[in-house]
Every structure is written in structure tokens, then in C-alpha cells.
Amino acid sequence: MSSSETTIQPRSNTRIWRDRAVMAGLLVLVVLGLVGAAAATGWEETLAQISKLGAFQIALLLVLSLVNYVLRGLRWHLFQRHLGLGLPMRSSLTHFLGGFAMTVTPGRVGELVRMRWIKRETGWALERTAPLVLVDRASDLAAMAILMGAAIATSGVAITGGPAVTVLALVAAFVVTRPKLLAWLATFGHRSTGRAPRFFARIRRAARSLAPFANGGALFAGSVQALFGWLAEGVAFYLLLDWMGAEVSMATAIAIFLFSTLAGGLTGAPGGVGGAEAAMVALLALQGVPLAMSVPATAIIRLTTLWFAIAIGLVVFPLAERQSLKVRHGLENA
């Protein structure tokens, strides 16, 4: 295994078990919280809400989530082609979807695994492919911020912190796609702290490699794809609430879904586990949605979005591994 591949591996068995313990603890707390809320409102009412959903409704929720994943996978392909990697669409989609298997691992290991697969198939070092991760995140942030801002403005609902999260997401998207600004921030950070010289040096190298995206054309096209992808999941949340009988407008449902997703990410928890669920239940409560509806709706939408993505990733992951190893062996024997 090359040195560039070993850098993405956990540092020790202690760290592996610590990360697993943290993730397990988060999942237990989320499950206990949802179960406790459901018990407080009465299991009969909660189960009655869940029973309103049939196979067709669940399938539609999954299809809308799949629309999001496919659109963002096509965006990944657009970005890697723009960077000059030249990989076929099959590889792009396999890399993108396979990375979902690592969604709830600390440190967004899924993105690093994608870089490893690309390294095997192209020989490009991590520093050269790092822009893919940056523009992918920036595109998501920009799309979600614009969509959430529009939903909040249209619905008229007041979400505490909503405007701030929108602005922060747009600022972050702007910074990571401005090579000179990002390089300056890396230099400033190093001079201010006097620490982590290798870390800041990698940021500067990544900033230089962002040059192909500086004109914004590819980023704009990718953000449009991401916007429609996230809109599909927001609509899925609205449909779910509507089927359960909650009187929430589509704009409000989309705003709540996106704010909760972004807020969960800001907590730093893998996949936003815990934070996203808490925000979703709390915001629905402010709209007058009873716990008997908000708790099962939150659990179901997370199962059909986050955990559905992880399930897809687990299926595709071994395919991506075999594909990348096969290509690498072919390059070595050429």
C-alpha cells in the first residue's frame, strides 16, 4: 500500500475503538430520545401515524432520496472531469455512492476513501484531488443555503438561527472556491498559531489546485444539480408530513429539513446524528405538530435519507474497491 493510501487509515486500534464507541453512544442516545418521546405521547398514537404509510409511500420517499444521490453523483463526475481526471461516469458514480458507507464515521472518512480510489485509478496524489472534496462541499453548502433562504422567505416561518446558518454556509462556500483567499487564510493561520505547518501547507497546495474552479462555471452548474437534489429530499419530508396529517406548508417543511440537516452538520457529529433529529422535532413542535407526528416523521425521514444512503454505500463499497484495484493492477502491468 502506498504512503498516500496509508494516510487515510486510522492511527491506532485505540482510536478505532474510541471512534466506534462515540458513534455507538450517539446512536443509542438518538434512539433513546426518539423512543422516549414516542412513549411520552403514547405508543398507540405513534404507531397509528406510522400505519398511515404504505409500501408506495415508502418507495416514493426512497426514490426522491435516490434522485438526490444520483444528481450529486453526476455533479461529482462533472467536477472530476473539470479537474482533468478523465474518469468514466461509471467510476465517478461508484466512487461517490460507495463513499456513503463511511458517512457516519468520524472525520468524513468517506471523502478520503473516494480519494484513495481515485489515486489507484489515476495515480493522482491526495493534494491534487483535494479540490474535489472542497468544491463538492461548497456546492452542497451553496445549494442548501440558497434553497433554505428561499424556503424561509416564502413560508414566512421564523427559524431562530436560520439566517445566520444561511450566511455562514454561503461564506464557507465562497471561501473554499477562492484559491487566493484560501491560501491567504492558510498562511495567516500558520503565522497566528505557529502550529501544524504540514496541515496549513496542504491547504495552500489544495488552494493552488483549485484554480480550475476559480471562474465559477463548473461550480455553478454543480450547485444547480445539488439544489434540485436537496429539493427532492425536502419535498419528500413535506409529503411525509402531509400523509401523516400535519398542517405544514411545503416551504416550511423544506426549510425545517434543510436547517436541521445543516445544524446537525455544525454539531460535528458524524452524519449530523443527534443534532439533526433534535432540531427537526423541536422545529416541528414550534409549528404545532404534535410529538405523535413529529417523532415518527423524523425517524422515517432520517431512515429514508441518511441511513438509506449508508445502505447504498455498503452495497457499492466493495464494488468500488474491486474496480479500483483492478484498474491499478492494469496500470502496473501495462
Side-chain angles (χ1 to χ4, degrees), residues 261-316:
T261 301
L262 286 171
L266 290 174
T267 64
V273 174
E277 291 83 0
M280 207 170 286
V281 171
L283 290 173
L284 287 173
L286 291 176
Q287 299 305 309
V289 179
L291 286 177
M293 289 185 186
S294 63
V295 171
T298 297
I300 290 171
I301 199 64
R302 292 292 275 172
L303 284 171
T304 57
T305 54
L306 172 68
W307 296 103
F308 179 47
I310 293 172
I312 292 174
L314 291 173
V315 172
V316 178

Side-chain angles (χ1 to χ4, degrees), residues 28-308:
V28 169
L29 289 175
V30 170
V31 172
L32 289 177
L34 292 175
V35 169
T41 59
W43 282 107
E44 291 184 0
E45 293 184 27
T46 300
L47 293 175
Q49 296 298 330
I50 296 176
S51 66
K52 294 179 180 179
L53 304 178
F56 172 78
Q57 283 85 355
I58 296 297
L60 183 55
L61 295 179
L62 295 177
V63 167
L64 289 170
S65 291
L66 191 59
V67 168
N68 181 26
Y69 309 148
V70 171
L71 285 174
R72 288 163 59 202
L74 293 175
R75 177 193 61 185
W76 181 267
H77 179 66
L78 169 69
F79 287 162
Q80 68 89 3
R81 297 282 290 187
H82 191 75
L83 191 60
L85 286 168
L87 291 171
M89 184 177 292
R90 175 187 175 186
S91 293
S92 295
L93 292 177
T94 303
H95 295 163
F96 184 77
L97 296 176
F100 282 150
M102 301 294 183
T103 298
V104 293
T105 54
R108 302 199 66 85
V109 176
E111 291 170 347
L112 296 177
V113 167
R114 291 172 183 144
M115 299 300 98
R116 183 182 68 176
W117 291 329
I118 292 175
K119 168 64 170 60
R120 287 174 176 173
E121 297 184 28
T122 66
W124 283 38
L126 177 63
E127 287 77 8
R128 294 184 66 189
T129 55
L132 277 176
V133 176
L134 293 174
V135 296
D136 186 68
R137 292 293 89 203
S139 177
D140 270 339
L141 287 172
M144 295 174 75
I146 292 171
L147 188 58
M148 185 176 71
I152 291 175
T154 304
S155 67
V157 64
I159 297 181
T160 302
V165 172
T166 301
V167 171
L168 285 174
L170 287 174
V171 169
F174 178 82
V175 170
V176 300
T177 54
R178 294 299 181 275
K180 292 183 179 179
L181 177 58
L182 189 60
W184 180 85
L185 289 173
T187 301
F188 177 78
H190 180 224
R191 291 176 178 175
S192 300
T193 63
R195 299 179 179 179
R198 292 183 179 178
F199 170 73
F200 289 114
R202 286 184 176 181
I203 293 180
R204 284 192 292 269
R205 286 195 294 270
R208 287 194 295 271
S209 62
L210 275 170
F213 298 96
N215 59 17
L219 181 61
F220 175 78
S223 296
V224 171
Q225 289 177 286
L227 188 147
F228 282 103
W230 287 109
L231 177 61
E233 288 198 347
V235 170
F237 188 48
Y238 163 72
L239 291 175
L240 175 60
L241 292 171
D242 185 60
W243 292 331
M244 288 186 170
E247 297 181 358
V248 175
S249 69
M250 182 179 293
T252 300
I254 292 172
I256 290 174
F257 175 79
L258 293 175
F259 178 84
S260 300
T261 301
L262 286 171
L266 290 174
T267 64
V273 174
E277 291 83 0
M280 207 170 286
V281 171
L283 290 173
L284 287 173
L286 291 176
Q287 299 305 309
V289 179
L291 286 177
M293 289 185 186
S294 63
V295 171
T298 297
I300 290 171
I301 199 64
R302 292 292 275 172
L303 284 171
T304 57
T305 54
L306 172 68
W307 296 103
F308 179 47

